[in-house]
Amino acid sequence: MASGNRSQTAQGLTLITPPFAYAVLVLAAPLLTILAYSFFKDGYLTVIREFTLENYSTVWADPIFHRIMLRSLVVAALVTLVTVVLAFPVAYFLSFVVAPQRKSMWLFLITIPFWTSYLIRVFLWKVILGYNGVINSGLKTLGIIEQPLTFILYNVNSMVITLAHAYAPFAILPIFIALEKIDRSLLEAGRDLGESRAMTFWRVTLPLAMPGVVAASLIVFIPTIGDYVTPALIGGGKIPMIANMIQAQMLDLDNRPLGSALAVTAMLIVALISLIFLALNWRFLKVRQ
Amino acid sequence: MKGRGLRAYALIYLLFLYAPILLLPIFAFNSGTVIAFPLRGITTEWFAQMWGNASLRRALFNSLTIAVSSSVLATCLGIFAARASTRFEFPGKGPIMGLIMLPLVLPEIIVSISLLVVLLSLGVKLSVLTVIIGHTLICMPYATVILSTAFNSLDRSLEEAAYDLGETRWSAFRLVILPLVMPGIISSLLMSFTISLDEFIIAFFLAGNEPTLPTYIFSQLRFPKQIPAIMALGTVLVLLSVVLLTIAEYFRRRGIARTGAKDTGGFL
């Protein structure tokens, strides 16, 4: 059997080689290049291959970077909070109320908007929320308001609404999967032992669903913070987030080492926050194993 | 009684999810040039304008080329990854699969910027081909997930029976496994096609001067006069995506039914 195992290992490695090689060439190598660039000097239009930490000190000292990074973090955190809180009842409904044979139908309905042109969906929110947008012009036509509502205009609020809409299915699916895994007899046990329905939810369902909530939070938070389209379209370019800053530094200003340092710093911050978030929720995640 | 409030909430939530998409056709057929209420009248002028537009046709051709190529490439790579991860154990499996799935969580701006920097420093000319390279990378994890479900629900004894009946490893794969996972392959192709067709960031950075549908749309959004035509284009694109996804979902379910597994629902 030992030789059988070895040939199994060899077969597995042979099979995995093409996709792995592709990921190494097209993903890992470029990421390492960015990392290397962040330690190089910028000579105008070229990159001088000399080790320096200057890019990082420039990034850390830059008040604009602080503002934009903070804004990105706040927007991403708000979007995560809104999506997860709004998504939880839907996931709960899907798992506990919907009949088993109709679940995939519901999941399909929820995922469809996610797969339809991101760009157009973002632009439509601008149309909906704008000064003469659907909400304002609709409310004016109905005579409910005289002046357009300003709190939804081209600002952080409208970015949060747009992004929360864009990433909604990302939040529902992990929570749904976690809820599906809960052994229903535990809930009955909770009720039998005299807990009220609310307390059973609070002490049994919610802790068991936490791995899904944690996964959902990270899956929403990480891509949101790197979103490029929404600040460019909704914010009208006036309230950039970190992705827009990286793009400007890399391409418009053509300072690749500084842009790379910016990208690496942003990734490190996001990774650090994600790790802290995981550590805070560790007791919930441990229960599963 | 149970869950009536939850059901109402879920329906409102669905409405919120679909709100922008539902507005799209309304404005695509509205004869007013400004996207606002009250509506003016019904027109198909914007659709006609769309057909007559040469740069749009070029963008469409580019997008289709990219989407077909990258969906085929990503699905081929996905077949390898899914087969390896569901059937075999090998050292470093976790990290290797982690790297392959990484594009799912990595912000696209990081993927595209780092790829762009490498391509430029290698002196590669940006074109449709470079977009295909990027799209294959981001479609690969989705293809791998869909195909893993297909491979996972395979009964291994079918394969062993084929060996016992004298088939070689390759002929057993071709005659037994491939037909069983075919619905998964079709589903993965359609899914990757849809993702590539809609993808903006990578196309924006890696396409050079070649337009794709999303970058064309992005360039037109600055001109208020062009917006109604973009709404018409968006309507067509959304319809196309919904049709493709419905077919993909049909095949995914058929694949699960064919191998006799239980449907766990959802793509992700």
Side-chain angles (χ1 to χ4, degrees), chain B residues 189-202:
Chain B
L189 282 172
L190 293 170
M191 201 69 176
S192 308
F193 183 89
T194 317
I195 292 170
S196 168
L197 199 63
D198 270 350
E199 204 286 331
F200 168 70
I201 297 285
I202 290 177

Side-chain angles (χ1 to χ4, degrees), chain A residues 8-9 11 15 22 34 86 104 109 115-117 119-120 124 127 132 134 137 165 168 222 228 247 250-251, chain B residues 9 13 16-18 20-21 35-37 80 87-88 91 105 113-114 116 133 169 191 198 205 214 234 245 263:
Chain A
Q8 293 274 317
T9 310
Q11 267 189 64
L15 276 174
Y22 193 79
I34 288 275
L86 287 180
S104 37
L109 279 177
W115 296 112
T116 51
S117 186
L119 200 61
I120 288 179
L124 279 165
V127 167
N132 277 316
V134 170
S137 63
H165 179 264
I222 297 172
Y228 176 86
Q247 186 261 346
M250 284 277 199
L251 303 178
Chain B
Y9 174 80
Y13 193 87
F16 165 70
L17 283 184
Y18 279 88
I21 299 175
I35 308 296
F37 287 113
F80 280 105
R87 176 70 167 73
F88 301 104
V105 287
I113 284 275
S114 55
L116 176 68
I133 293 175
R169 198 180 292 157
M191 201 69 176
D198 270 350
F205 287 117
L245 290 171
D263 189 2

Side-chain angles (χ1 to χ4, degrees), chain B residues 164-242:
Chain B
D164 290 347
L165 292 171
E167 296 292 345
T168 63
R169 198 180 292 157
W170 165 243
S171 65
F173 182 79
R174 194 171 56 86
L175 294 171
V176 179
I177 301 172
L178 210 54
L180 284 171
V181 294
M182 199 37 113
I185 292 176
I186 294 171
S187 172
S188 151
L189 282 172
L190 293 170
M191 201 69 176
S192 308
F193 183 89
T194 317
I195 292 170
S196 168
L197 199 63
D198 270 350
E199 204 286 331
F200 168 70
I201 297 285
I202 290 177
F204 184 58
F205 287 117
L206 298 183
N209 294 323
E210 291 291 334
T212 69
L213 281 179
T215 57
Y216 173 79
I217 291 172
F218 189 74
S219 69
Q220 297 301 303
L221 290 178
R222 276 176 296 161
F223 309 113
K225 255 181 74 181
Q226 301 293 334
I227 302 295
I230 293 298
M231 294 285 145
L233 176 59
T235 310
V236 175
L237 276 182
V238 167
L239 267 179
L240 186 67
S241 299
V242 171

Side-chain angles (χ1 to χ4, degrees), chain A residues 41-54:
Chain A
K41 275 186 185 149
D42 180 51
Y44 184 65
L45 292 182
T46 55
V47 173
I48 304 166
R49 285 160 201 269
E50 251 176 70
F51 181 84
T52 174
L53 287 172
E54 210 175 293

Side-chain angles (χ1 to χ4, degrees), chain A residues 259-276:
Chain A
S260 303
L262 208 56
V264 173
T265 313
M267 277 196 286
L268 283 179
I269 293 176
V270 172
L272 194 68
I273 292 176
S274 308
L275 285 179
I276 294 174

